[in-house]
Amino acid sequence: MRRSPTIADVARAAGVSKGTVSFALNDRPGVAPETKARILAAAAELGFHPSHRARALSHSRAFALGLVMARPAELLGADPFFPAFIAGVETELAKVGQALVLRVVTGGWDEEAAGYRQFAEDGRVDGVFLSDLRVGGDPRLALLEELRLPAVTLQPPDASPFPAVALDERTGIRAAVEHLVGLGHRRIGHVTGPQEFVHGRGRRDAWRDALAGLGLPPGPEAAGDFTAAGGADATRRLLRDGEPPTAIVYANDLMAIAGITVAHELGLSIPGDLSITGFDDTELAGHVHPPLTTVHMDALGMGRAAARTLLRLVESGSAESIELPPTELVVRRSTAPPRSGGASLPPPRAEHPRSSS
Amino acid sequence: MRRSPTIADVARAAGVSKGTVSFALNDRPGVAPETKARILAAAAELGFHPSHRARALSHSRAFALGLVMARPAELLGADPFFPAFIAGVETELAKVGQALVLRVVTGGWDEEAAGYRQFAEDGRVDGVFLSDLRVGGDPRLALLEELRLPAVTLQPPDASPFPAVALDERTGIRAAVEHLVGLGHRRIGHVTGPQEFVHGRGRRDAWRDALAGLGLPPGPEAAGDFTAAGGADATRRLLRDGEPPTAIVYANDLMAIAGITVAHELGLSIPGDLSITGFDDTELAGHVHPPLTTVHMDALGMGRAAARTLLRLVESGSAESIELPPTELVVRRSTAPPRSGGASLPPPRAEHPRSSS
DNA sequence: GTGTGGAACCAAACCGGTTTGAGCGACGGG
DNA sequence: CCCGTCGCTCAAACCGGTTTGGTTCCACAC
């Protein structure tokens, strides 16, 4: 069982003290060039790598950032955001030798709070990412302040002591609405995300504002929860309406795809009878039937920006918020001009409902 | 800036030495009951939490496990496995105060190897999970042995010095094939995963063996890569065949869903003209059109089992492999008896292709 | 010759826990 | 009464780095 070499081994091999080795390896002044070369050679020779644990202890830092993923279990596998976000975070962290520590909580708020609390008390991370901000004062903000744990929020909440990485979702949603209106739609519904979340609320507001901005009356909306099942239910409610919309803007792709399915099952053709737009631009969006017009969201870029911001915050005690490039609409084939007279459900019990072209 | 209390503070408050506090907090014998009570009270009073960093240093352990996610960037958001797997791992780790450290590599093998190497050299983790095993001697096995990094493999590779957490995928695939044959299908194709991976290979072999076991001739297969685009391409190749299959077994849901779309675009009705089965049972599987018959895979349970096994391995130096309950088929509506005479492509340029019922 | 300054280096303290070896008082047995 | 044992506690060493406060040595100015 060969022990990996320590700084003392290097010092012995180079004939200097531990302190000098430390200075040499960290490029600090006060080490003679030839000494430094000798030390570096010895370190390379021995295959020395500084112990992360020891550095963490003496620096009183973890050299790691934390992410608490709070999601109901059934949504975890379907959520496209976290994996891409994590990938973005990691590319930045790997560059600077830091690590990402993950916690998954599927329970409620108590469990989530315990997650952050443990991160702070154990000193496992130097800062955390805060996703899924809640409107009206997210309780985690106060918690993290109490715990003195630096944080970066994804999307700016109502009020926050922390820097935010903001992704302009409004532009993409507005583009979707304008695209639909340009096709001739006038009655455009929305299947929302949970309204207690900043992003759920923000997307709904963007949809409302876009309609209002075009001088159109408010459209019908149905509450979704970002799950496929929730999206399907919401879609049924919208379509059962006496005057159903000719187009529906969904708060995410998962619900939109479930919505397409519901429409099919009701015998509606997409986009002939009903136009549909999503949000996220998941990999599947381009491969469902019909391919989904949706708003592209750069979760990876968000991860990178958030990581850079949080690193800076941890390092220097302050960091500025970042505004990412606005989201863009990706037009595919789930949107088209409405049938004249708007969508209407086909006669009940249709044996051979029309399909999309 | 209030410093968080250390063990020395507790010792002072309780009027004992650091060592005694350590013994008391770790439930080790040799501390008088009243002394222990006094120490615990002092610790609670001060809000003491042992520093993870210091424990890690003195134990020469990280109290963390690592996972290297190697995926091309575009697949990261669509892969249902990792999030659920991670959730399973985390539930076990949280119980014992350990953490999960993540590394994401989107590049090639060099980058992936560097990931494991860094984990080992930095001493950031005590062990790692090995997913996506390659057939024919995964090079990571030798690497990890060289690095002396304990590991648990997901699926047993050809030969391995490490314990494995095995999920019986064969049973589910066989059930899918038997289900299709029971419906009357005789020509059953397969869209594979990458054959350099144990799970890609294993699923294909299971499909082949199931056909052979039922006395049927080999079916046509097309190489996929677990991506939607790859699944779509493979589906087109299968269906363009002179004698296309009446049913296709896909190696994962993502490709199966893309396959449904391709079939729709070719004017085929699912399941009327073509039956389709997937693998994974993603959230979306039940919400596409038609709902997908697929093999349920318990990624969460796999995560839990893998975490328990790896913890045991790290703790005691050895752990036994685990066999999880076999995968099961979930029958939905993408499978049905074949049209008499088997599937045939409709006349070209069909303006109003039939749709599913 | 002495004083001064800076470069190079070292020894020791420190981060905050765990672990070891020894000390001490009480108690029981011979 | 003495000794061995046991139960309890402490001081010190240790994990492997970083950082501080000297110390040594040499060049140069006065």
Side-chain angles (χ1 to χ4, degrees), chain A residues 86 90 99-102, chain B residues 66-67 69 86 100-104 119:
Chain A
I86 286 171
E90 248 296 315
L100 176 63
V101 178
L102 223 63
Chain B
L67 174 65
M69 295 171 43
I86 286 171
L100 176 64
V101 178
L102 224 63
R103 175 114 308 172
V104 179
F119 269 166

Side-chain angles (χ1 to χ4, degrees), chain B residues 15-314:
Chain B
V16 296
S17 73
K18 279 170 47 176
T20 304
V21 174
S22 177
F23 271 57
L25 294 179
N26 292 321
D27 282 324
R28 297 179 48 160
V31 182
E34 60 271 28
T35 308
K36 184 166 176 176
R38 191 155 34 94
I39 291 173
L40 293 181
E45 168 76 19
L46 293 174
F48 169 78
H49 293 274
S51 152
H52 160 69
R53 296 191 266 271
R55 293 207 328 138
L57 181 59
S58 60
H59 274 123
S60 294
R61 291 229 347 230
F63 299 108
L65 303 179
L67 174 65
V68 176
M69 295 171 43
R71 281 279 190 284
E74 71 272 17
L75 200 53
L76 263 168
D79 184 353
F81 176 74
F82 276 130
F85 176 78
I86 286 171
V89 168
E90 248 297 316
T91 59
E92 293 297 318
L93 293 192
K95 284 185 200 164
V96 294
Q98 303 228 10
L100 176 64
V101 178
L102 224 63
R103 175 114 308 172
V104 179
V105 302
T106 51
W109 159 249
D110 288 346
E111 202 186 329
E112 187 177 357
Y116 288 106
R117 184 157 267 133
Q118 262 200 10
F119 269 166
E121 287 168 350
D122 294 355
R124 273 218 190 249
V125 301
D126 300 318
V128 294
F129 300 98
L130 230 50
S131 68
D132 303 329
L133 274 293
R134 291 170 183 76
V135 296
D138 193 302
R140 292 174 297 178
L141 297 173
L143 174 64
L144 292 178
E145 274 199 295
E146 176 203 327
L147 296 172
R148 296 163 181 283
L149 199 54
V152 163
T153 63
L154 311 184
Q155 299 303 29
D158 311 316
S160 167
F162 302 114
V165 170
L167 182 66
D168 172 9
E169 306 184 333
R170 299 183 64 85
T171 299
I173 297 269
R174 184 170 359 104
V177 170
E178 286 171 354
H179 164 68
L180 290 168
V181 170
L183 289 171
H185 294 271
R186 291 296 175 269
R187 188 161 171 78
I188 299 171
H190 179 50
V191 170
T192 73
Q195 291 302 296
E196 63 265 31
F197 291 117
V198 169
H199 52 313
R201 180 76 64 113
R203 292 174 198 178
R204 189 204 58 178
D205 290 349
W207 159 77
R208 282 189 177 173
D209 295 349
L211 285 178
L214 292 168
L216 290 173
E221 72 184 74
D225 56 1
F226 284 145
T227 71
D233 282 349
T235 304
R236 278 187 206 100
R237 291 199 299 277
L238 278 187
L239 293 181
R240 259 202 275 276
D241 194 358
E243 191 184 358
T246 64
I248 303 180
V249 172
Y250 287 79
N252 74 350
D253 279 2
L254 193 57
M255 296 194 296
I257 293 173
I260 291 179
T261 298
V262 164
H264 275 151
E265 283 170 357
L266 291 174
L268 293 174
S269 139
I270 312 284
D273 298 321
L274 179 69
S275 283
I276 280 182
T277 72
F279 195 105
D280 280 339
D281 196 18
T282 51
E283 210 224 335
L284 214 37
H287 293 276
V288 291
H289 182 68
L292 186 65
T293 294
T294 188
V295 176
H296 181 78
M297 155 134 166
D298 184 14
L300 195 122
M302 206 168 180
R304 299 180 47 153
R308 280 198 298 264
T309 305
L310 187 48
L311 282 174
R312 192 170 312 137
L313 176 62
V314 167

Side-chain angles (χ1 to χ4, degrees), chain A residues 126-213:
Chain A
D126 300 318
V128 294
F129 300 98
L130 230 49
S131 68
D132 305 327
L133 275 291
R134 290 170 184 77
V135 297
D138 193 302
R140 293 173 297 176
L141 298 174
L143 174 64
L144 292 177
E145 274 200 296
E146 176 203 328
L147 296 172
R148 296 162 180 282
L149 198 55
V152 163
T153 63
L154 311 183
Q155 300 302 32
D158 310 315
S160 167
F162 302 114
V165 171
L167 181 66
D168 172 9
E169 306 184 332
R170 299 182 64 85
T171 299
I173 298 269
R174 182 166 4 100
V177 171
E178 286 170 354
H179 164 68
L180 291 168
V181 171
L183 290 170
H185 293 271
R186 293 295 176 268
R187 187 162 172 79
I188 300 171
H190 179 50
V191 170
T192 73
Q195 291 302 296
E196 63 266 31
F197 292 117
V198 169
H199 52 314
R201 178 77 64 113
R203 292 173 197 179
R204 188 204 59 178
D205 290 350
W207 160 76
R208 282 189 178 175
D209 294 349
L211 285 178

Side-chain angles (χ1 to χ4, degrees), chain A residues 317-343:
Chain A
S318 78
E320 289 184 0
S321 293
I322 289 189
E323 174 84 23
L324 295 172
T327 49
E328 285 179 14
L329 184 69
V330 179
V331 177
R332 296 204 180 89
R333 303 215 305 274
S334 65
T335 46
R339 285 211 199 296
S340 57

Side-chain angles (χ1 to χ4, degrees), chain B residues 314-340:
Chain B
V314 167
E315 200 70 38
S316 69
S318 77
E320 290 185 359
S321 293
I322 289 189
E323 175 86 23
L324 295 173
T327 48
E328 285 179 14
L329 184 68
V330 179
V331 176
R332 296 205 180 89
R333 304 214 305 273
S334 64
T335 46
R339 285 212 197 293
S340 57

